[in-house]
Amino acid sequence: MIKILLTEDDPNLGSLLQEYLQAKEFEVDLARDGNLGLDMFLENEYDFCILDVMMPKKDGFSLAKEIRIKNPEIPILFLTAKSMPEDTLKGFEVGADDYMTKPFSMEELLVRIKAILKRVKKEEKNPEADQFALGNILFDSHKHTLTHEGNLTKLTSKESDLLKLFCQNLNKPVSRSYALKLIWGDDSYFNARSMDVYITKLRKYLKPNPDLQIMNLHGEGFKLVC
Amino acid sequence: MIKILLTEDDPNLGSLLQEYLQAKEFEVDLARDGNLGLDMFLENEYDFCILDVMMPKKDGFSLAKEIRIKNPEIPILFLTAKSMPEDTLKGFEVGADDYMTKPFSMEELLVRIKAILKRVKKEEKNPEADQFALGNILFDSHKHTLTHEGNLTKLTSKESDLLKLFCQNLNKPVSRSYALKLIWGDDSYFNARSMDVYITKLRKYLKPNPDLQIMNLHGEGFKLVC
DNA sequence: TTTCAAAGTTAAAAAGTGTTAAACCAGGTT
DNA sequence: AACCTGGTTTAACACTTTTTAACTTTGAAA
């Protein structure tokens, strides 16, 4: 679950955004001013910050600077009331990843959040290994192939995407909603059922090697153990 | 310093983009409509144009045509609204280098600008740079030819355009709609089927080299793996 | 133990793709 | 004008991938 810190002093806008993003399957903590925002940031692990620029007690830029001390990598997106040149520049100096002027559409906000997260994820995984050894089975996620004792099996894109996710988290739990959002785009009932179908398919592929197993963690997700 | 002409009638978005790009070390002139945009273009030397399609007085496509008269080489990137009638997209015939659909993230815009500039710079340095080595097959996208073990095959222009797009994105996914908009002008059912026909043709051409493969990424697009 | 949500499995429906051939269309030629 | 010609699109049919549906089994909580 992607965890977002949202700081916004306007209670209406704040909870509106919080609810919207929660509906989109993000975990969102809302802070009503800069000081509370910093407290929350230090107490929790976040993946993303959305900071209002004009807030009582501590403005968004000061907060961003302090956040950057602890975490120089975390994406920060600023919200500001009107387009002010000085503000924008100041924001980018602190290392803003993006910037939105009120009023804005929530849809647009979502687009930008996703774009930034996509880039960050790519950077994390870079350099990206696309071959995995699963016991005596070799998985090439780029070519979508499995090789076992010389014979080659072709996987479909979705099979490959899902298996890759398990390989990247070998022996570690992969939450259902994370996999769904990453591969299917969102966590819905039907996508979840679709994913179950793919789990069955992957289990068949991995059957040749008995010490390879996709375990279900009831209510949480799955893990591939080797 | 790279000099960009930006035409955008929405003052908020316009100055936001201007400031963002200035923060990224570009020189940016902003014009509020198509006529002013043309005036500025004729009075200054630009390296890049970002044109909103829907503008008062003169739309982005008309402006692009006039810009092309003076400078057939300059990169043009269009900003389009989401709900555009299909035939308007035909405007890509004026030779857009890229397009972005609103809403978009500024970060993504920057990535695309850089990608185009990089390609343009490469072309300037090396006018023969539209040659690609695909294993032991040599592809000349300018002459529309493939050379394999001495024998030469001529490609049609569409075959060449599509193969070039794959070569520019070797081992990376190329989305269907991106290819369609870029090469066919718009993403419609019949163009998509036409594209499939071309995929088949390209696969035949690349058959002589077994480690060259156009893979389908179901529902997304294709990638050429080498 | 009963109960119900979550997960496993299989099959059918729907969506997307591969391929071939015929139709169409624009250009140059007779 | 009618006729070629080569490129491109449309049509048709086969096939693959993904999703939806229906039914079964499992697991955790009341």
Side-chain angles (χ1 to χ4, degrees):
Chain A
M1 182 78 109
I2 306 283
K3 215 169 163 186
I4 298 179
L5 173 63
L6 169 64
T7 67
E8 170 59 62
D9 60 310
D10 173 357
N12 275 329
L13 179 60
S15 51
L16 186 62
L17 286 176
Q18 184 178 31
E19 279 158 29
Y20 176 73
L21 292 171
Q22 279 169 348
K24 299 295 178 181
E25 306 290 336
F26 292 100
E27 197 177 328
V28 183
D29 288 351
L30 174 59
R32 303 248 173 252
D33 67 52
N35 282 334
L36 290 172
L38 184 60
D39 292 347
M40 290 176 113
F41 182 79
L42 295 172
E43 279 165 27
N44 300 279
E45 289 277 329
Y46 293 102
D47 305 294
F48 203 102
C49 298
I50 302 173
L51 310 180
D52 189 18
V53 169
M54 282 190 289
M55 285 185 299
K57 299 202 181 144
K58 190 188 306 252
D59 69 279
F61 295 137
S62 314
L63 174 57
K65 269 182 205 155
E66 295 171 337
I67 284 177
R68 279 270 178 264
I69 294 170
K70 191 193 169 197
N71 185 338
E73 303 297 329
I74 192 164
I76 298 179
L77 186 154
F78 285 110
L79 306 179
T80 192
K82 50 186 188 284
S83 177
M84 295 183 292
E86 329 87 68
D87 274 9
T88 327
L89 289 175
K90 212 167 159 189
F92 289 127
E93 274 166 23
V94 195
D97 291 272
D98 213 334
Y99 177 91
M100 296 202 64
T101 310
K102 296 179 195 172
F104 52 83
S105 81
M106 298 204 281
E107 184 199 8
E108 188 173 350
L109 176 65
L110 186 64
V111 167
R112 300 202 179 182
I113 292 173
K114 282 186 176 168
I116 293 169
L117 286 174
K118 202 169 148 193
R119 188 216 66 205
V120 168
K121 194 175 290 156
K122 213 198 244 165
E123 280 175 3
E124 271 175 9
K125 280 181 193 156
N126 197 21
E128 194 168 334
D130 46 40
Q131 291 197 358
F132 302 90
L134 297 167
N136 55 354
I137 299 177
L138 199 77
F139 167 47
D140 186 321
S141 70
H142 183 239
K143 290 182 178 167
H144 298 180
T145 56
L146 285 176
T147 320
H148 176 243
E149 291 172 353
N151 41 19
L152 189 141
T153 316
K154 272 183 72 74
L155 301 187
T156 71
S157 317
K158 276 248 155 46
E159 289 166 353
S160 179
D161 290 349
L162 187 54
L163 183 54
K164 181 176 173 189
L165 183 58
F166 283 128
C167 289
Q168 286 168 339
N169 297 281
L170 196 62
N171 294 313
K172 284 188 289 185
V174 176
S175 94
R176 210 187 181 96
S177 77
Y178 181 74
L180 284 170
K181 265 183 279 174
L182 202 68
I183 299 175
W184 275 264
D186 78 282
D187 178 350
S188 69
Y189 172 78
F190 284 117
N191 285 340
R193 304 318 333 279
S194 186
M195 175 169 162
D196 286 330
V197 172
Y198 277 89
I199 294 287
T200 299
K201 292 180 182 183
L202 290 186
R203 285 188 174 132
K204 269 187 196 142
Y205 288 129
L206 300 182
K207 220 164 196 173
N209 187 334
D211 26 74
L212 226 45
Q213 207 184 337
I214 297 175
M215 284 180 53
N216 171 250
L217 309 167
H218 196 93
E220 319 223 347
F222 296 87
K223 76 176 170 185
L224 172 58
V225 304
C226 191
Chain B
M1 180 81 107
I2 305 283
K3 212 167 163 184
I4 297 179
L5 173 64
L6 169 64
T7 67
E8 170 58 62
D9 59 310
D10 172 358
N12 270 329
L13 180 59
S15 53
L16 185 60
L17 287 175
Q18 184 179 31
E19 284 156 25
Y20 177 73
L21 293 171
Q22 280 168 350
K24 298 297 179 184
E25 307 291 336
F26 293 100
E27 197 178 328
V28 184
D29 288 350
L30 174 60
R32 303 244 173 254
D33 68 51
N35 283 333
L36 291 172
L38 185 59
D39 292 347
M40 291 176 111
F41 182 78
L42 295 172
E43 278 164 29
N44 300 279
E45 287 279 328
Y46 292 102
D47 304 294
F48 202 102
C49 298
I50 302 173
L51 310 181
D52 188 19
V53 170
M54 281 193 289
M55 285 186 298
K57 304 209 177 136
K58 191 187 304 253
D59 69 279
F61 292 137
S62 315
L63 174 57
K65 268 183 205 151
E66 296 172 337
I67 285 177
R68 279 270 179 264
I69 294 170
K70 191 192 169 200
N71 185 338
E73 302 298 330
I74 192 165
I76 297 179
L77 186 154
F78 285 110
L79 306 179
T80 70
K82 189 171 65 179
S83 54
M84 280 177 52
E86 277 185 5
D87 60 339
T88 325
L89 283 170
K90 289 277 184 193
F92 287 112
E93 281 160 15
V94 298
D97 291 272
D98 211 339
Y99 66 89
M100 297 208 60
T101 307
K102 297 181 192 175
F104 52 83
S105 82
M106 296 197 284
E107 206 173 40
E108 194 176 347
L109 176 64
L110 184 65
V111 167
R112 300 212 181 170
I113 292 173
K114 284 184 173 168
I116 294 170
L117 286 174
K118 198 171 147 193
R119 195 207 63 211
V120 168
K121 197 182 285 170
K122 209 159 115 195
E123 278 175 6
E124 275 174 5
K125 264 188 207 159
N126 180 2
E128 299 297 305
D130 33 31
Q131 291 196 355
F132 302 90
L134 297 168
N136 56 353
I137 299 177
L138 200 77
F139 167 47
D140 187 319
S141 70
H142 184 240
K143 291 180 180 164
H144 298 183
T145 56
L146 285 176
T147 320
H148 176 243
E149 290 171 355
N151 40 18
L152 189 142
T153 316
K154 254 188 88 60
L155 301 187
T156 71
S157 43
K158 276 244 155 48
E159 288 167 352
S160 179
D161 289 349
L162 188 54
L163 184 54
K164 182 177 173 189
L165 184 56
F166 283 127
C167 288
Q168 286 167 341
N169 297 282
L170 194 63
N171 291 313
K172 284 188 289 185
V174 175
S175 97
R176 212 189 179 93
S177 73
Y178 183 75
L180 284 170
K181 284 182 189 164
L182 221 58
I183 298 176
W184 274 265
D186 81 279
D187 177 351
S188 69
Y189 172 80
F190 285 116
N191 284 340
R193 305 311 282 110
S194 185
M195 176 169 164
D196 285 330
V197 172
Y198 278 88
I199 294 286
T200 299
K201 292 179 180 183
L202 291 185
R203 284 190 174 130
K204 267 186 197 143
Y205 289 130
L206 300 182
K207 218 163 198 174
N209 187 334
D211 32 66
L212 224 46
Q213 207 185 338
I214 298 177
M215 283 182 54
N216 172 249
L217 308 168
H218 196 98
E220 311 264 322
F222 296 87
K223 73 177 172 187
L224 173 57
V225 308
C226 192

